[in-house]
Amino acid sequence: MQLMTSCAAGAALLLLLHCCQIASIVGHESALTVVKNPDGREGGGADEETEVAVDEEDLEVVQPTEDWQTLKPGQAVPAGSHVRLNLQTGQREVRIGKEQLKYWTQEHRETEEIQSTISPDDLKWAMKKMKEELNPVRKETDRQLTDSVASKYRPLDELKRDLAQLDLLVETDVQIMKRLLDQFNSSNSTTEQRLSILLELEYLVHQVDNAQTLCSMGGLQLILEGLNSTDIRLQESSAFVLGSAVSSNPVVQVKAVESGALQTLLTVLATAQPLRVKKKVLFAVAALLRNFPYSQRHFLSHGGLQVLSELFKADGGGVLRTRIVTMLYDMISEKELISQAGLDLVLDASHEERVHQYSQVSLQGELLEKGWCSLVPQLLESTEHDYREKALRALLAMAPMCLDQYRLDSSLLGSLLSLRDQYQEMVQSEMIVGEENGYFAEIVELIHALQFKMK
Ligand SMILES: *[C@@H]1O[C@H](CO)[C@@H](O)[C@H](O)[C@H]1NC(C)=O
Ligand SMILES: *[C@@H]1O[C@H](CO)[C@@H](O)[C@H](O)[C@H]1NC(C)=O
Ligand SMILES: *[C@@H]1O[C@H](CO)[C@@H](O)[C@H](O)[C@H]1NC(C)=O
């Protein structure tokens, strides 16, 4: 199968680099390396040893933001910034890490307690000041503004000394994940620490490469153990990380299924109590199944629909019911789309392979067998318009296999009649306020389409 590429393959795409040390903090004992203060007035800098790091004419310091920005030749960034080389464009890119202040190198961990003395605001201000020192032209115009701001912060030199002590170095995403996983795996870590690690991982794995790196580092196994935890918060957060990691990431989907993620998820889904855990686990299951017939087949053969139907029956509120029905609808239409695509596209080998894989997913038969033709109509009893709409769409998608059962389902027939009246009435009032073709009209159309099929 095409998808069976190495987990690490994607990781090479973005080569993460150590930040350049221009305009940065160097050595533990040495002072901050900044461009010489042109007027010598600034904050008693005269008696502090400063040195010119780079020719000031050539240097433009970019202030990183949360988004990646491309660096032009000659531009520098403050130490602690996140710099990477985009191998596709050949450009260096920079952004400020949310993590920026948190990551020290191994050998300077012991200075971590200093962290509390530098607030992110202090740091931002310090960076701004450093930039100004490097851009003397702008300095005068900004002076008044910064002076008023300055009074709210500690003296720059004090900050510089603290920053110098910290010896901030850049950590790449790969290094960050390695450290997070080591901490997560350490028997010393508390549950609180593990939860915050999972939160950081969840943020990181949205990047396709990071998610793949996470599995090549053995992170998947740790996440699955987290899912198995007796602590529901760990279960919830682990499911969240797993779901985000497999979302739109075929390589990780494959790895996850190979690692037994589906069985673990289904077990948790069948046993977990709190709704919030079930929601996140369902999210992970849906992400694992999406566009991945291989896992859909596993899901069916491991009793996935059985687990979902227990969940559906037990869910009074309808939140889970709606998510389940939406998931089934997505699976049906996904398969449908693949088979329809064959009608008007030139068939290539990969398409045939996909059609073949989907043909092995006996979804329709299983839905029929497991009683979904009578379960999904129950969602129409919900009072939420959105839930009803989702139910109607799924009922239409399932109509080819369920039609006989629909026709015998007197409560479905009754629901459709009363919903039609209700929504038609609402459409009337929508028209009065001039909102034709609104949402309710759409629902009426869905009801009509279903009634038409059932005739
Ligand atoms: C756990 O913490 C103790 C001290 O609190 C330390 O001596 C020990 O090396 C730590 N163990 C691990 C596995 O990190
Ligand atoms: C977690 O720790 C165990 C030993 O304590 C080790 O065998 C395993 O490789 C570690 N896993 C990761 C992902 O670091
Ligand atoms: C989770 O627990 C089940 C049974 O309790 C076990 O079979 C499975 O191997 C566990 N998975 C992990 C990743 O620990």
Side-chain angles (χ1 to χ4, degrees), residues 23 70 169 202 261 280 306 378:
T70 301
L169 288 180
E202 198 280 327
K280 285 287 193 293
Q306 186 61 38
Q378 294 176 22

Side-chain angles (χ1 to χ4, degrees), residues 221 224-225 228:
Q221 201 52 38
L224 293 181
E225 283 163 21
N228 253 1

Side-chain angles (χ1 to χ4, degrees), residues 178 181-182 184-187 214 217-222 225:
K178 174 90 180 66
L181 287 179
D182 285 346
F184 190 85
N185 202 16
S186 156
S187 51
L214 183 80
M217 285 174 174
L220 210 47
Q221 201 52 38
L222 295 183
E225 283 163 21

Side-chain angles (χ1 to χ4, degrees), residues 311 317 391:
L311 213 55

Side-chain angles (χ1 to χ4, degrees), residues 242-346:
L242 182 60
S244 297
V246 296
S247 288
S248 310
N249 201 328
V251 174
V252 179
Q253 279 182 319
V254 171
K255 289 286 164 194
V257 170
E258 284 177 347
S259 314
L262 201 48
Q263 289 91 314
T264 307
L265 286 169
L266 288 176
T267 307
V268 178
L269 208 47
T271 53
Q273 286 310 314
L275 181 66
R276 42 183 259 228
V277 177
K278 289 178 177 168
K279 270 162 118 175
K280 285 287 193 293
V281 175
L282 207 52
F283 158 69
V285 172
L288 195 52
L289 299 187
R290 195 166 303 126
N291 295 319
F292 191 19
Y294 176 77
S295 71
Q296 293 176 12
R297 217 174 77 210
H298 273 245
F299 170 78
L300 295 178
S301 63
H302 284 82
L305 282 181
Q306 186 61 38
V307 174
L308 290 192
S309 75
E310 298 304 324
L311 213 55
F312 187 97
K313 288 172 194 162
D315 177 47
V319 183
L320 290 179
R321 285 185 170 195
T322 307
R323 289 178 187 217
I324 291 167
V325 164
T326 303
M327 198 174 128
L328 298 179
Y329 170 79
D330 287 344
M331 281 166 80
I332 296 169
S333 20
E334 193 183 298
K335 193 176 172 181
E336 197 67 11
L337 270 176
I338 293 291
S339 58
Q340 279 173 6
L343 299 177
D344 41 43
L345 285 179
V346 182

Side-chain angles (χ1 to χ4, degrees), residues 49-68:
E49 191 194 71
T50 56
E51 50 183 309
V52 179
V54 238
D55 188 332
E56 38 200 289
E57 262 75 43
D58 290 339
L59 184 69
E60 185 194 341
V61 178
V62 173
Q63 290 301 102
T65 64
E66 289 194 8
D67 299 316
W68 289 108

